[in-house]
mmCIF file of all heavy atoms in Angstrom:
data_model
loop_
_atom_site.group_PDB
_atom_site.id
_atom_site.type_symbol
_atom_site.label_atom_id
_atom_site.label_comp_id
_atom_site.label_asym_id
_atom_site.label_seq_id
_atom_site.Cartn_x
_atom_site.Cartn_y
_atom_site.Cartn_z
ATOM 1 N N CYS A 28 13.370 39.527 -19.585
ATOM 2 C CA CYS A 28 14.487 38.578 -19.377
ATOM 3 C C CYS A 28 14.994 37.927 -20.650
ATOM 4 O O CYS A 28 15.892 37.078 -20.624
ATOM 5 C CB CYS A 28 14.074 37.498 -18.352
ATOM 6 S SG CYS A 28 13.868 38.187 -16.692
ATOM 7 N N CYS A 64 17.361 45.966 -19.075
ATOM 8 C CA CYS A 64 17.625 44.513 -18.973
ATOM 9 C C CYS A 64 18.630 44.044 -20.009
ATOM 10 O O CYS A 64 19.241 42.989 -19.843
ATOM 11 C CB CYS A 64 16.318 43.764 -19.102
ATOM 12 S SG CYS A 64 15.264 43.873 -17.622
ATOM 13 N N LYS A 65 18.806 44.793 -21.075
ATOM 14 C CA LYS A 65 19.796 44.415 -22.072
ATOM 15 C C LYS A 65 21.217 44.400 -21.506
ATOM 16 O O LYS A 65 22.084 43.700 -22.005
ATOM 17 C CB LYS A 65 19.774 45.378 -23.255
ATOM 18 C CG LYS A 65 18.517 45.266 -24.137
ATOM 19 C CD LYS A 65 18.574 46.324 -25.258
ATOM 20 C CE LYS A 65 17.339 46.261 -26.124
ATOM 21 N NZ LYS A 65 17.410 47.296 -27.210
ATOM 22 N N THR A 66 21.409 45.197 -20.433
ATOM 23 C CA THR A 66 22.743 45.300 -19.842
ATOM 24 C C THR A 66 23.010 44.225 -18.815
ATOM 25 O O THR A 66 24.105 44.107 -18.287
ATOM 26 C CB THR A 66 22.903 46.682 -19.150
ATOM 27 O OG1 THR A 66 22.035 46.751 -18.010
ATOM 28 C CG2 THR A 66 22.577 47.822 -20.107
ATOM 29 N N LEU A 67 22.003 43.402 -18.509
ATOM 30 C CA LEU A 67 22.157 42.370 -17.493
ATOM 31 C C LEU A 67 22.809 41.124 -18.089
ATOM 32 O O LEU A 67 22.716 40.852 -19.298
ATOM 33 C CB LEU A 67 20.809 41.991 -16.913
ATOM 34 C CG LEU A 67 19.987 43.085 -16.226
ATOM 35 C CD1 LEU A 67 18.647 42.545 -15.778
ATOM 36 C CD2 LEU A 67 20.748 43.710 -15.069
ATOM 37 N N THR A 68 23.459 40.367 -17.216
ATOM 38 C CA THR A 68 24.071 39.081 -17.651
ATOM 39 C C THR A 68 22.972 38.056 -17.768
ATOM 40 O O THR A 68 21.870 38.211 -17.170
ATOM 41 C CB THR A 68 25.112 38.610 -16.665
ATOM 42 O OG1 THR A 68 24.428 38.295 -15.418
ATOM 43 C CG2 THR A 68 26.175 39.684 -16.396
ATOM 44 N N PRO A 69 23.216 36.964 -18.499
ATOM 45 C CA PRO A 69 22.208 35.880 -18.536
ATOM 46 C C PRO A 69 21.879 35.340 -17.166
ATOM 47 O O PRO A 69 20.697 34.987 -16.891
ATOM 48 C CB PRO A 69 22.924 34.822 -19.403
ATOM 49 C CG PRO A 69 23.850 35.602 -20.274
ATOM 50 C CD PRO A 69 24.339 36.729 -19.410
ATOM 51 N N GLN A 70 22.851 35.319 -16.253
ATOM 52 C CA GLN A 70 22.595 34.816 -14.897
ATOM 53 C C GLN A 70 21.655 35.781 -14.130
ATOM 54 O O GLN A 70 20.758 35.320 -13.400
ATOM 55 C CB GLN A 70 23.909 34.688 -14.119
ATOM 56 C CG GLN A 70 24.832 33.588 -14.640
ATOM 57 C CD GLN A 70 25.589 33.965 -15.907
ATOM 58 O OE1 GLN A 70 25.673 35.173 -16.266
ATOM 59 N NE2 GLN A 70 26.157 32.962 -16.556
ATOM 60 N N GLU A 71 21.833 37.083 -14.344
ATOM 61 C CA GLU A 71 20.966 38.067 -13.679
ATOM 62 C C GLU A 71 19.532 37.969 -14.185
ATOM 63 O O GLU A 71 18.575 38.081 -13.445
ATOM 64 C CB GLU A 71 21.553 39.449 -13.835
ATOM 65 C CG GLU A 71 22.780 39.721 -13.018
ATOM 66 C CD GLU A 71 23.430 41.068 -13.357
ATOM 67 O OE1 GLU A 71 23.400 41.467 -14.518
ATOM 68 O OE2 GLU A 71 23.922 41.697 -12.405
ATOM 69 N N LYS A 72 19.402 37.790 -15.502
ATOM 70 C CA LYS A 72 18.099 37.656 -16.088
ATOM 71 C C LYS A 72 17.391 36.395 -15.554
ATOM 72 O O LYS A 72 16.197 36.423 -15.249
ATOM 73 C CB LYS A 72 18.180 37.605 -17.590
ATOM 74 C CG LYS A 72 18.595 38.958 -18.254
ATOM 75 C CD LYS A 72 18.706 38.790 -19.789
ATOM 76 C CE LYS A 72 19.112 40.085 -20.407
ATOM 77 N NZ LYS A 72 19.230 39.975 -21.892
ATOM 78 N N ALA A 73 18.186 35.304 -15.483
ATOM 79 C CA ALA A 73 17.612 34.066 -14.980
ATOM 80 C C ALA A 73 17.142 34.223 -13.543
ATOM 81 O O ALA A 73 16.128 33.639 -13.108
ATOM 82 C CB ALA A 73 18.622 32.952 -15.110
ATOM 83 N N LEU A 74 17.911 35.024 -12.738
ATOM 84 C CA LEU A 74 17.538 35.232 -11.335
ATOM 85 C C LEU A 74 16.222 36.002 -11.223
ATOM 86 O O LEU A 74 15.380 35.694 -10.381
ATOM 87 C CB LEU A 74 18.661 35.978 -10.628
ATOM 88 C CG LEU A 74 18.476 36.272 -9.139
ATOM 89 C CD1 LEU A 74 18.265 34.985 -8.371
ATOM 90 C CD2 LEU A 74 19.683 37.051 -8.596
ATOM 91 N N ILE A 75 16.062 37.018 -12.059
ATOM 92 C CA ILE A 75 14.828 37.811 -12.081
ATOM 93 C C ILE A 75 13.645 36.899 -12.468
ATOM 94 O O ILE A 75 12.563 36.961 -11.824
ATOM 95 C CB ILE A 75 14.931 39.002 -13.024
ATOM 96 C CG1 ILE A 75 15.927 40.028 -12.476
ATOM 97 C CG2 ILE A 75 13.544 39.646 -13.199
ATOM 98 C CD1 ILE A 75 16.206 41.184 -13.434
ATOM 99 N N LYS A 76 13.831 36.112 -13.479
ATOM 100 C CA LYS A 76 12.762 35.230 -13.940
ATOM 101 C C LYS A 76 12.366 34.246 -12.814
ATOM 102 O O LYS A 76 11.169 34.027 -12.569
ATOM 103 C CB LYS A 76 13.228 34.459 -15.180
ATOM 104 C CG LYS A 76 12.196 33.508 -15.761
ATOM 105 C CD LYS A 76 12.750 32.865 -17.026
ATOM 106 C CE LYS A 76 11.742 31.896 -17.626
ATOM 107 N NZ LYS A 76 12.236 31.287 -18.881
ATOM 108 N N PHE A 77 13.366 33.687 -12.128
ATOM 109 C CA PHE A 77 13.079 32.746 -11.071
ATOM 110 C C PHE A 77 12.408 33.473 -9.877
ATOM 111 O O PHE A 77 11.474 32.909 -9.279
ATOM 112 C CB PHE A 77 14.361 32.088 -10.587
ATOM 113 C CG PHE A 77 14.144 31.155 -9.387
ATOM 114 C CD1 PHE A 77 13.512 29.927 -9.550
ATOM 115 C CD2 PHE A 77 14.514 31.531 -8.120
ATOM 116 C CE1 PHE A 77 13.254 29.098 -8.483
ATOM 117 C CE2 PHE A 77 14.284 30.703 -7.038
ATOM 118 C CZ PHE A 77 13.670 29.475 -7.218
ATOM 119 N N ALA A 78 12.841 34.712 -9.585
ATOM 120 C CA ALA A 78 12.247 35.476 -8.487
ATOM 121 C C ALA A 78 10.772 35.726 -8.742
ATOM 122 O O ALA A 78 9.948 35.650 -7.803
ATOM 123 C CB ALA A 78 12.982 36.764 -8.291
ATOM 124 N N LYS A 95 12.625 35.313 -2.828
ATOM 125 C CA LYS A 95 13.767 36.061 -3.318
ATOM 126 C C LYS A 95 13.507 37.534 -3.000
ATOM 127 O O LYS A 95 12.606 38.141 -3.547
ATOM 128 C CB LYS A 95 13.958 35.852 -4.815
ATOM 129 C CG LYS A 95 14.415 34.471 -5.178
ATOM 130 C CD LYS A 95 15.792 34.166 -4.617
ATOM 131 C CE LYS A 95 16.250 32.751 -4.982
ATOM 132 N NZ LYS A 95 17.560 32.423 -4.356
ATOM 133 N N LYS A 99 18.569 40.975 -3.038
ATOM 134 C CA LYS A 99 19.347 39.902 -3.663
ATOM 135 C C LYS A 99 19.166 39.879 -5.178
ATOM 136 O O LYS A 99 19.696 39.015 -5.845
ATOM 137 C CB LYS A 99 18.897 38.539 -3.096
ATOM 138 C CG LYS A 99 19.018 38.442 -1.569
ATOM 139 C CD LYS A 99 20.462 38.596 -1.097
ATOM 140 C CE LYS A 99 20.578 38.442 0.407
ATOM 141 N NZ LYS A 99 21.950 38.665 0.885
ATOM 142 N N LEU A 100 18.411 40.851 -5.708
ATOM 143 C CA LEU A 100 18.114 40.914 -7.130
ATOM 144 C C LEU A 100 18.814 42.080 -7.771
ATOM 145 O O LEU A 100 19.171 43.061 -7.087
ATOM 146 C CB LEU A 100 16.597 41.007 -7.338
ATOM 147 C CG LEU A 100 15.766 39.846 -6.765
ATOM 148 C CD1 LEU A 100 14.267 40.151 -6.944
ATOM 149 C CD2 LEU A 100 16.121 38.542 -7.486
ATOM 150 N N PRO A 101 18.993 42.056 -9.084
ATOM 151 C CA PRO A 101 19.565 43.218 -9.773
ATOM 152 C C PRO A 101 18.803 44.489 -9.473
ATOM 153 O O PRO A 101 17.580 44.456 -9.283
ATOM 154 C CB PRO A 101 19.470 42.821 -11.256
ATOM 155 C CG PRO A 101 19.496 41.313 -11.263
ATOM 156 C CD PRO A 101 18.748 40.912 -10.014
ATOM 157 N N VAL A 104 15.145 45.756 -10.589
ATOM 158 C CA VAL A 104 13.892 45.255 -9.991
ATOM 159 C C VAL A 104 13.351 46.278 -8.985
ATOM 160 O O VAL A 104 12.168 46.654 -9.009
ATOM 161 C CB VAL A 104 14.107 43.911 -9.320
ATOM 162 C CG1 VAL A 104 12.790 43.428 -8.654
ATOM 163 C CG2 VAL A 104 14.579 42.877 -10.327
#
Side-chain angles (χ1 to χ4, degrees):
C28 291
C64 286
K65 290 179 182 179
T66 68
L67 301 177
T68 66
Q70 292 77 17
E71 288 174 323
K72 290 179 180 179
L74 181 58
I75 291 174
K76 182 177 178 179
F77 177 73
K95 291 296 180 183
K99 303 299 182 183
L100 299 175
V104 177

